[in-house]
Amino acid sequence: MLEATPLTEGWVLCHEGVGLPAVVPGCVHTDLLAAGVIPDPFLGRNEAEVAWVGRRDWTYETDLPTGSGHEQTDLVFDGLDTVAEVLLDGQLLGRTRNMHRGYRFDVTGLGGRLSVRFASAYAEAEAVRGKVGDRPAAYAEPYQYLRKMACSFGWDWGPTLVTAGIWRPVRLERWSTARLARVRPVVTVQQGVGVVELHIEVERTRVEAELTLEARVGGVRARGEVTGTRGVVRVEVPDAELWWPRGYGEQSLHDVELTLCHDSVVLDVWRRRVGFRSVELDTSADGRGTGFTLVVNGERLFARGVNWIPDDVFPSRVTRERYRRRLGQAADAGVDLVRVWGGGIYESEDFYDACDELGLLVWQDFPFACAAYPEEQPLRGEVEAEARENVVRLMPHPSLVLWNGNNENLWGFRDWGWEGRLAGDSWGEGYYLGVLPRVVAELDPTRVYTAGSPWSGSWAHHPNDPAHGTHHSWEVWNRADYAEYRSEVPRFVAEFGWQAPPAYATLRRALPGEELAADSPGMLHHQKAEDGNGKLARGLARHFALPEGDFDRWHYLTQVNQARAVAAGIEHWRAHWPECAGTVVWQLNDCWPVTSWSAIDGDGREKPLYHELRRLYADRLLTLRVRGEGLVLAAVNQAAGPWTAALELRRMSVAGEVIGAVRLELAARARAVAELPVPDGLVPDGAKEFLVVDSEGLRALYFPVPDREIPYPRPEFEVVAGSGSVTVTARTLVRDLLLQADRLGPDVRADRGLVTLLPGERVTIGVEGWETPDAAAARAALYCQEPAR
């Protein structure tokens, strides 16, 4: 039986002739940080103080034991970041140049001092650039010249912290006769029967040995034989329970066990979980363009998505528990699709396991983003090797439904001035339209492949044409008011978003001792977007009277504006289902404390946007929108059954007077949108009026003018603080009430975000982690809209 021994102990990081204790898996920065050699790069402006780390070469060392009683011993690295030489007692075992691959070295009968020498990623990238020629990119750093996580080199939300290290597990594998070198599970559903077809490759020490295979899926077993180094076992599971995305059914998972034997002796065992489901992508043309609709088990979906970036700029720190917590937050917000963005990594098994269990569909980018990527060696061979390895590694996971070739590179070629600069040089098209679809078709035929995001389906249309395929909507954030989201209906919005700073407690931890201001030194350092603060200011000015010198008010309003902006897009696009078949918000998470587009900040705290997503991505949503001279109420029903309900519509003054009211009956089919025109007499007229629609705990609001023009009354409300809750009772209109719970204590959490109360209404906010409830403290942590100053 194959024996695996993790190599986690005794590692040292060589620094200036001294061996510092090293954690494996880990990286240089975290080891230097633990040893007190560098300050925390997430705090203040320390990022700049540790830039030298990425320019150095580094060596990790430990002692490798000998002896095993087996015929073969392999040294196995699941991930090395990135350019390394592996040596044993000074003898070269091999070289690596790809963070996204694993490596195996034969060390049979060997032992001694194991050294892993990492070259600077900068040095390698610059050497490759010198060989293949310069290529354009969205950022100045040379990330496209090596197969390393691109955002290590910084992004418009991330720090530049170019690290190195043994970032995934390393072990010794000892075995005899044969081992399972690769298992490729093709999982399908055929006329109600779940089929698992296991394609096996083995490595042998004995060519003559007769090898047998036994596979088990639940209680069903099947046998097969190995011919040479290959074999296939097919297991059929009658009446297999299907795996469904959350909100559509159960997440049925089935244990699979494959055993490799010789003369009834077990040599190796492979275990995974699979789910039976079918996946299609409907890209058929219609009168409005070219669709992009995911179809799972025959059910057409509106994808309620978020973009995922690495949850830490040092991915080795992301534990199984952290993945589960972050993805659990996504599921609790109503998300059913997570797009793993192409400037990051292929995540660990823990990520996809959590998505399998939570029913989160995974859209997986291949790691290419915002740059022209050379297609010459040494990169081309690495790209195909990493694609083959990771496609097979991730195949068992039913949550994975779509492979995507790249992020924004097809768009960049057409619109960002690349074509002229390249003058015929390679830039990645051969990967996205050649290598990658070929690999997916050969190895993983049960899943969808698309060449890029955005991508219109062919060069016959502009890559980011909203009428065809996937669309990235960034002109609004960059240049316009978020009301412009309502000006078009893309077929699938794969990226859009609006910035806001992180939670107050996150800022206080990240910027110790700093007097906070929108433009204070630390705030500016933790704002990586080009003209990010300028865009925040212009976005606020379109809606609010800007608070001069009041950081707390600025902080609150920017967070409100982020939630409002994303709501404007999602409400509009969901109301146009099935023409629009999905929204993927940029972005769910952050990799450090920063002003960004995230719903959950770098310390894991939920912004108001997060709580707004819970409303926007609920199965049922009410939204009001202008049509011609009138208003239309759209009732979005993504639930499995029809929605019939009574609606209460009230035209009100901001002073609290009901000007007009009516009750209407709503009837929306399952997975459909129903529209009702608002009666003319209920349409608000001018800045002093608004419309509110209520039904079964759902509410839609319509104010006809920006907040800066609304004569809000001075908010009056009562506050009661109890054990685990804060209750607010409104005496006036209280719009966008927000309890910033982290101001009560850094570990305090609230269970809801922005809420608007009419006079006499009451809300109880659940508060977790607050040990000494106090009404005065709660009132000080409450914010809402106020009269213009």
Side-chain angles (χ1 to χ4, degrees):
M1 178 72 172
L2 182 146
E3 297 176 1
T5 305
L7 297 178
T8 57
E9 305 296 328
W11 287 95
V12 296
L13 172 64
C14 300
H15 173 62
E16 296 182 350
V18 177
L20 303 177
V23 174
V24 172
C27 72
V28 171
H29 282 83
T30 54
D31 289 332
L32 295 176
L33 181 61
V37 175
I38 62 172
D40 188 338
F42 286 10
L43 302 185
R45 289 177 281 174
N46 291 341
E47 174 197 354
E49 299 299 316
V50 304
W52 60 270
V53 175
R55 297 285 181 179
R56 297 275 186 92
D57 297 344
W58 300 94
T59 299
Y60 281 83
E61 291 186 343
T62 192
D63 290 322
L64 193 70
T66 57
S68 70
H70 282 278
E71 296 170 354
Q72 176 94 9
T73 301
D74 293 334
L75 173 63
V76 182
F77 294 94
D78 286 341
L80 294 170
D81 180 12
T82 293
V83 182
E85 291 183 338
V86 181
L87 303 101
L88 191 58
D89 279 344
Q91 298 298 308
L92 182 67
L93 296 178
R95 295 183 173 89
T96 76
R97 57 190 318 125
N98 192 329
M99 177 184 184
H100 306 301
R101 292 179 60 189
Y103 296 91
R104 179 179 294 266
F105 304 104
D106 184 351
V107 293
T108 305
L110 303 178
R113 195 65 173 169
L114 175 64
S115 301
V116 185
R117 298 177 180 171
F118 290 95
S120 163
Y122 279 110
E124 168 71 8
E126 288 157 5
V128 172
R129 177 164 54 189
K131 179 180 179 180
V132 302
D134 195 28
R135 299 292 195 283
Y139 302 97
E141 298 279 314
Y143 56 90
Q144 72 269 47
Y145 300 102
L146 74 169
R147 299 307 298 151
K148 177 178 171 64
M149 184 173 86
C151 63
S152 293
F153 293 87
W155 221 259
D156 58 3
W157 38 256
T160 302
L161 293 168
V162 180
T163 196
I166 305 170
W167 77 289
R168 279 186 166 159
V170 55
R171 62 191 174 277
L172 285 175
E173 288 190 358
R174 301 179 173 100
W175 54 279
S176 298
T177 306
R179 71 173 185 90
L180 293 168
R182 187 171 82 164
V183 179
R184 186 169 62 88
V186 178
V187 182
T188 56
V189 182
Q190 301 176 16
Q191 297 181 332
V193 176
V195 177
V196 181
E197 198 167 76
L198 299 168
H199 297 256
I200 295 102
E201 296 179 18
V202 300
E203 183 181 358
R204 293 172 174 264
T205 59
R206 304 183 201 173
V207 176
E208 75 284 356
E210 292 186 4
L211 304 177
T212 60
L213 300 162
E214 182 173 295
R216 178 182 60 82
V217 181
V220 182
R221 297 178 181 271
R223 297 179 64 86
E225 294 183 353
V226 177
T227 302
T229 59
R230 298 178 182 272
V232 179
V233 183
R234 179 185 171 96
V235 185
E236 297 185 358
V237 181
D239 302 318
E241 295 184 355
L242 297 180
W243 183 95
W244 287 92
R246 63 176 306 281
Y248 290 83
E250 298 299 315
Q251 288 75 56
S252 298
L253 296 168
H254 306 261
D255 291 323
V256 178
E257 183 178 272
L258 174 69
T259 305
L260 175 68
C261 297
H262 170 59
D263 291 340
S264 300
V265 175
V266 175
L267 302 177
D268 199 357
V269 179
W270 180 90
R271 296 183 180 91
R272 296 292 189 277
R273 290 185 307 174
V274 301
F276 296 110
R277 51 92 185 112
S278 64
V279 178
E280 300 169 85
L281 182 64
D282 184 355
T283 58
S284 56
D286 56 30
R288 298 178 297 273
T290 308
F292 192 95
T293 304
L294 281 167
V295 185
V296 179
N297 298 330
E299 186 80 52
R300 300 172 66 82
L301 312 181
F302 181 98
R304 293 169 278 188
V306 288
N307 282 276
W308 171 277
I309 66 170
D311 206 49
D312 197 311
V313 73
F314 307 126
S316 59
R317 295 200 294 200
V318 184
T319 63
R320 183 177 184 86
E321 293 72 26
R322 184 163 158 185
Y323 276 125
R324 182 68 191 216
R325 182 169 62 252
R326 196 72 68 243
L327 291 166
Q329 288 173 298
D332 289 344
V335 169
D336 59 20
L337 181 142
V338 178
R339 176 190 172 211
V340 182
W341 167 75
I345 57 176
Y346 307 94
E347 297 286 346
S348 82
E349 297 294 333
D350 297 331
F351 174 93
Y352 305 95
D353 284 345
C355 291
D356 291 344
E357 295 162 8
L358 293 166
L360 295 172
L361 300 171
V362 176
W363 160 331
Q364 176 71 53
D365 280 13
F366 285 99
F368 301 88
C370 299
Y373 283 77
E375 297 176 39
E376 291 79 13
Q377 298 295 3
L379 291 170
R380 188 178 185 88
E382 290 292 345
V383 166
E384 178 153 355
E386 87 179 42
R388 288 183 172 276
E389 178 176 321
N390 284 284
V391 165
V392 172
R393 176 173 73 88
L394 300 181
M395 282 178 67
H397 296 284
S399 57
L400 177 57
V401 295
L402 185 146
W403 288 102
N404 177 54
N406 74 89
N407 176 74
E408 298 190 345
N409 294 344
L410 296 161
W411 181 20
F413 179 76
R414 178 56 54 87
D415 270 5
W416 299 351
W418 293 2
E419 190 169 2
R421 289 179 59 188
L422 286 164
D425 286 345
S426 66
W427 56 274
E429 183 181 27
Y431 298 145
Y432 319 134
L433 300 179
V435 173
L436 298 176
R438 171 171 54 81
V439 168
V440 172
E442 174 192 339
L443 299 178
D444 192 11
T446 69
R447 285 185 176 86
V448 173
Y449 174 85
T450 185
S453 184
W455 181 232
S456 58
S458 78
W459 288 114
H461 305 288
H462 188 281
N464 199 31
D465 187 334
H468 300 275
T470 51
H471 177 68
H472 289 195
S473 180
W474 284 116
E475 285 299 294
V476 172
W477 156 253
N478 285 321
R479 296 177 176 84
D481 180 27
Y482 58 69
E484 291 302 309
Y485 285 135
R486 304 186 185 105
S487 67
E488 62 184 11
V489 183
R491 305 312 300 267
F492 192 105
V493 188
E495 282 189 20
F496 79 107
W498 204 269
Q499 272 201 347
Y504 182 80
T506 299
L507 289 173
R508 282 271 59 109
R509 187 191 71 81
L511 305 175
E514 181 165 309
E515 183 177 347
L516 295 177
D519 58 353
S520 61
M523 287 293 294
L524 290 177
H525 186 79
H526 288 250
Q527 163 63 280
K528 296 295 186 178
E530 181 181 0
D531 190 30
N533 272 20
K535 293 170 185 175
L536 283 175
R538 291 189 290 275
L540 282 179
R542 295 180 181 107
H543 295 272
F544 303 101
L546 296 183
E548 292 292 337
D550 186 342
F551 175 80
D552 292 341
R553 194 77 189 157
W554 175 88
H555 181 262
Y556 161 74
L557 288 176
T558 51
Q559 294 205 334
V560 170
N561 222 32
Q562 181 188 39
R564 293 257 198 101
V566 172
I570 293 179
E571 288 184 350
H572 176 66
W573 295 320
R574 282 194 72 183
H576 282 85
W577 162 258
E579 181 177 354
C580 178
T583 56
V584 189
V585 177
W586 188 272
Q587 66 213 63
L588 175 69
N589 57 328
D590 271 323
C591 64
W592 78 314
V594 65
T595 296
S596 84
W597 299 263
S598 71
I600 302 169
D601 75 18
D603 281 6
R605 294 188 176 92
E606 297 156 349
K607 297 182 186 179
L609 170 60
Y610 171 82
H611 297 283
E612 184 70 350
L613 285 177
R614 297 173 68 178
R615 179 184 74 86
L616 296 167
Y617 277 165
D619 280 350
R620 289 172 175 169
L621 173 70
L622 295 174
T623 179
L624 289 157
R625 54 196 178 92
V626 176
R627 179 179 290 172
E629 298 298 319
L631 285 178
V632 172
L633 174 68
V636 181
N637 181 27
Q638 210 161 344
W643 181 16
T644 57
L647 301 171
E648 182 182 16
L649 287 73
R650 285 176 285 174
R651 177 182 174 187
M652 298 189 65
S653 73
V654 294
E657 175 190 0
V658 177
I659 300 170
V662 71
R663 291 177 67 87
L664 299 176
E665 294 299 317
L666 164 69
R669 294 179 291 105
R671 318 288 193 201
V673 179
E675 290 189 346
L676 291 86
V678 174
D680 290 341
L682 292 180
V683 177
D685 182 17
K688 296 182 180 181
E689 297 181 3
F690 65 99
L691 178 66
V692 57
V693 181
D694 290 297
S695 179
E696 300 178 340
L698 301 180
R699 170 168 284 180
L701 292 164
Y702 173 73
F703 289 79
V705 300
D707 291 68
R708 66 174 186 266
E709 299 177 22
I710 299 173
Y712 286 119
R714 185 163 301 281
E716 297 179 10
F717 52 85
E718 297 172 0
V719 180
V720 176
S723 178
S725 68
V726 171
T727 299
V728 180
T729 303
R731 299 304 176 205
T732 64
L733 171 66
V734 179
R735 191 177 185 196
D736 294 326
L737 181 72
L738 175 67
L739 177 65
Q740 293 193 6
D742 58 291
R743 290 178 180 263
L744 303 173
D747 298 323
V748 182
R749 298 288 193 274
D751 68 356
R752 66 184 305 160
L754 299 165
V755 60
T756 292
L757 300 177
L758 307 181
E761 291 186 332
R762 174 181 301 169
V763 64
T764 296
I765 304 167
V767 180
E768 180 183 344
W770 196 24
E771 297 180 356
T772 56
D774 177 80
R779 179 175 283 274
L782 284 164
Y783 290 76
C784 64
Q785 301 295 348
E786 297 178 353
R789 299 178 185 179

